[in-house]
Amino acid sequence: DSVKLAEEIRDVRRVARGARLQVAIVGEVAFPIKGSDNYLALLRASAGLPVDWHFFGTTDALDFQGQVEAIAGLSVKFHGRYQREAIIDLLARTSIDLCVLLPEVDETFSFVLSEVVIAGVPVIVNRKGALPERVEAGKFGVVVDGAEGARAALAALSQDPTPLDAWAQHARDFRHASVAESAGELRQLYESLGFLRSDPQPVPFKAALLEELSTRRIVPVPPEPPPAPPQPPPYQRQWW
């Protein structure tokens, strides 16, 4: 249970913030759809800032890690792939000050954002999909426009990290809705829009429906087994 785990993780003793910001990039970020080009642009533009970068997730695909390592002047550590249930603890125990999320496409929710916030870590997020709405409502970070905006935010925070304290407190105070609570909110929304009846009635079963489902059923055909490798004649065996 992520809520119970969050209470345990928030008791982890974090190292006091130093002169350099500890910034994390989390997830399958080596892929273009997840913002690989945005992260590379941010890293190149931020090479002179007092920032230590930490990657949690896939970085060895599509030569992403090689491109990161080729950027001069970066302090970067690759922590590798992680189990979802472990990332909250990893972020807290690594004393991450901030996480950057710059997806290329609209996010409908973002599990990574949930994991980061449950760990009590503030965020810089791209103005994509549900990210701005969630961050502005929770007050645990700042919304920017692309890599250029993220670089400007990092530069400002490296000079004055004071906003991180307030954002981190909002993240620690944040309580993630349970599955049941989210389902209840969705049900109320659907009912208010007339998509659901407030007093749902069972739909009578019709034999014709069963017949139609039976005719439309697709039964997968198992692939044929590969042919057995040809056996050499006796005179080709090793003992011959």
Side-chain angles (χ1 to χ4, degrees):
D1 182 78
S2 62
V3 176
K4 181 179 179 181
L5 178 61
E7 297 303 322
E8 299 174 359
I9 295 305
R10 287 166 184 169
D11 291 334
V12 172
R13 185 178 298 276
R14 297 172 61 90
V15 177
R17 185 181 303 125
R20 299 176 63 86
L21 291 178
Q22 305 301 307
V23 181
I25 297 177
V26 181
E28 302 295 306
V29 296
F31 301 96
I33 194 173
K34 292 297 186 179
S36 58
D37 292 338
N38 295 331
Y39 293 120
L40 289 171
L42 173 60
L43 293 170
R44 293 186 180 107
S46 306
L49 295 179
V51 172
D52 293 330
W53 295 94
H54 298 261
F55 281 87
F56 298 89
T58 300
T59 56
D60 57 357
L62 305 177
D63 193 38
F64 178 78
Q65 183 168 326
Q67 294 181 73
V68 172
E69 292 172 335
I71 301 174
L74 281 187
S75 171
V76 59
K77 183 173 182 179
F78 300 97
H79 297 266
R81 301 193 68 181
Y82 59 87
Q83 297 295 322
R84 171 154 284 170
E85 62 271 17
I87 185 59
I88 298 173
D89 181 69
L90 288 172
L91 292 173
R93 295 186 186 280
T94 314
S95 293
I96 297 298
D97 296 311
L98 182 68
C99 182
V100 180
L101 283 77
L102 301 178
E104 181 60 26
V105 300
D106 291 341
E107 293 275 2
T108 56
F109 181 73
S110 181
F111 287 118
V112 169
L113 177 59
S114 295
E115 293 161 356
V116 169
V117 172
I118 290 173
V121 177
V123 293
I124 294 175
V125 301
N126 210 3
R127 198 178 301 278
K128 288 283 187 179
L131 293 177
E133 179 182 353
R134 294 187 63 192
V135 171
E136 289 170 352
K139 300 180 181 179
F140 36 66
V142 62
V143 179
V144 299
D145 293 306
E148 183 177 348
R151 197 274 179 195
L154 281 175
L157 290 169
S158 65
Q159 294 293 321
D160 178 17
T162 304
L164 291 174
D165 297 326
W167 296 344
Q169 187 59 53
H170 283 297
R172 288 191 291 270
D173 293 340
F174 176 76
R175 180 184 177 277
H176 212 294
S178 68
V179 174
E181 290 168 339
S182 298
E185 292 179 1
L186 286 174
R187 184 175 185 85
Q188 291 179 359
L189 173 62
Y190 290 155
E191 288 176 349
S192 68
L193 296 174
F195 295 156
L196 292 177
R197 293 169 54 113
S198 57
D199 56 339
Q201 300 295 322
V203 177
F205 176 78
K206 296 181 179 179
L209 176 60
L210 179 59
E211 294 177 1
E212 181 180 356
L213 291 174
S214 180
T215 58
R216 293 177 180 272
R217 185 179 61 157
I218 300 175
V219 179
V221 178
E224 295 184 2
Q231 294 295 321
Y235 55 81
Q236 290 187 8
R237 295 187 187 276
Q238 185 175 7
W239 59 267
W240 185 269

